Amino acid sequence: DIHLTQSPSFLSASVGDTVTITCRASQKFNSYLAWYQQRAETAPKLLIFATFNLQSGVPPRFSGRGSGTDFTLTITSLQPEDSATYYCQQLTSFPLTFGQGTKLEIK
Amino acid sequence: EVQLVESGGGLVQPGESLRLSCEASGFTFNEFLMHWVRHIPGKGLEWVSSISWNGRKVDYAGSIKGRFTISRDNNKKSLYLQMDNVRSEDTALYFCAKPLGSMGGAFDSWGQGTLVIVSS
């Protein structure tokens, strides 16, 4: 199984800041990595697919990059509505796995 | 517009069974692989199971293998998750999800979820 570890687990930042969340895989895989945003107990929202592709309707403040075992999600010009938990997910092999999540608090 | 509507959740005792359903609309359901994902309170998201467009290929997370069964009825545009011998750790909000591409990829559409609580 490909295990994904996100860091940090908790992040506090202010409106206008830039933050980066890291997702590290237990083994190398192709770039079928996605990022999701989940607010409270609602359905997750797809932000980024295949490492760096922005999902339709997602503001360009969100960006992804990486390869091999290390991937990042960067959010620039933070807005209050960015307060949420963010998850990475690998879609290379079953079982599909998610990172444990990064909770982003906007001060 | 893609819509996924889950149902069937509820309060169930350990060892009992429950069947979740997901009714799909707004896309060609019979062409798409489909997934179940759960959000465990305080723990995050966990992929549960996937089924190919024709139901011939299924995959399961290790934590539920042998207890849960995924199936689909393309005529009814519906996805199912039969949950047998449930445990307290199966308590979660269960989502069905559709991938970007018919053969897979990131999950671009999700239902609203159906809550399963396993407790005596």
Side-chain angles (χ1 to χ4, degrees):
Chain A
D1 298 5
I2 299 176
H3 184 71
L4 300 179
T5 303
Q6 289 182 228
S7 59
S9 294
F10 179 81
L11 193 50
S12 183
S14 301
V15 171
D17 285 353
T18 293
V19 297
T20 296
I21 300 168
T22 297
C23 177
R24 177 160 288 170
S26 59
Q27 58 188 243
K28 262 187 174 183
F29 64 101
N30 63 28
S31 298
Y32 288 123
L33 186 110
W35 290 95
Y36 300 87
Q37 175 192 68
Q38 187 182 32
R39 296 191 182 103
E41 296 286 315
T42 62
K45 174 185 174 183
L46 176 63
L47 300 173
I48 302 281
F49 62 95
T51 300
F52 56 81
N53 294 277
L54 197 65
Q55 171 66 350
S56 176
V58 174
R61 305 185 289 103
F62 294 86
S63 63
R65 61 184 300 170
S67 64
T69 59
D70 295 311
F71 299 84
T72 59
L73 172 71
T74 297
I75 313 171
T76 61
S77 188
L78 276 175
Q79 300 299 305
E81 60 267 27
D82 297 335
S83 179
T85 300
Y86 293 83
Y87 296 91
C88 58
Q89 180 199 29
Q90 67 82 17
L91 296 124
T92 290
S93 62
F94 288 102
L96 305 182
T97 46
F98 289 91
Q100 83 280 10
T102 295
K103 186 171 183 178
L104 173 60
E105 172 194 84
I106 307 298
K107 295 177 197 169
Chain B
E1 181 196 359
V2 172
Q3 282 205 326
L4 299 167
V5 181
E6 301 94 338
S7 61
L11 176 63
V12 62
Q13 295 195 354
E16 293 188 339
S17 297
L18 202 61
R19 189 197 197 204
L20 307 184
S21 299
C22 170
E23 194 170 322
S25 61
F27 66 104
T28 311
F29 180 76
N30 62 10
E31 293 182 355
F32 278 80
L33 171 141
M34 292 293 294
H35 301 278
W36 285 102
V37 177
R38 64 187 181 183
H39 181 259
I40 301 173
K43 284 197 172 183
L45 297 173
E46 180 184 33
W47 168 81
V48 174
S49 182
S50 301
I51 185 167
S52 62
W53 66 273
N54 59 5
R56 290 181 185 170
K57 184 179 186 300
V58 297
D59 288 280
Y60 297 101
S63 58
I64 57 88
K65 194 175 280 189
R67 300 188 298 120
F68 292 8
T69 304
I70 191 171
S71 62
R72 65 191 296 161
D73 184 334
N74 285 342
N75 291 324
K76 294 182 178 178
K77 297 184 181 179
S78 291
L79 177 71
Y80 305 103
L81 186 69
Q82 177 66 38
M83 305 170 61
D84 295 323
N85 190 22
V86 296
R87 304 169 180 168
S88 57
E89 55 263 37
D90 296 320
T91 293
L93 184 60
Y94 285 76
F95 298 98
C96 62
K98 167 195 162 292
L100 270 169
S102 60
M103 298 299 288
F107 302 172
D108 69 336
S109 298
W110 301 64
Q112 84 289 349
T114 187
L115 182 62
V116 173
I117 300 174
V118 182
S119 175
S120 53

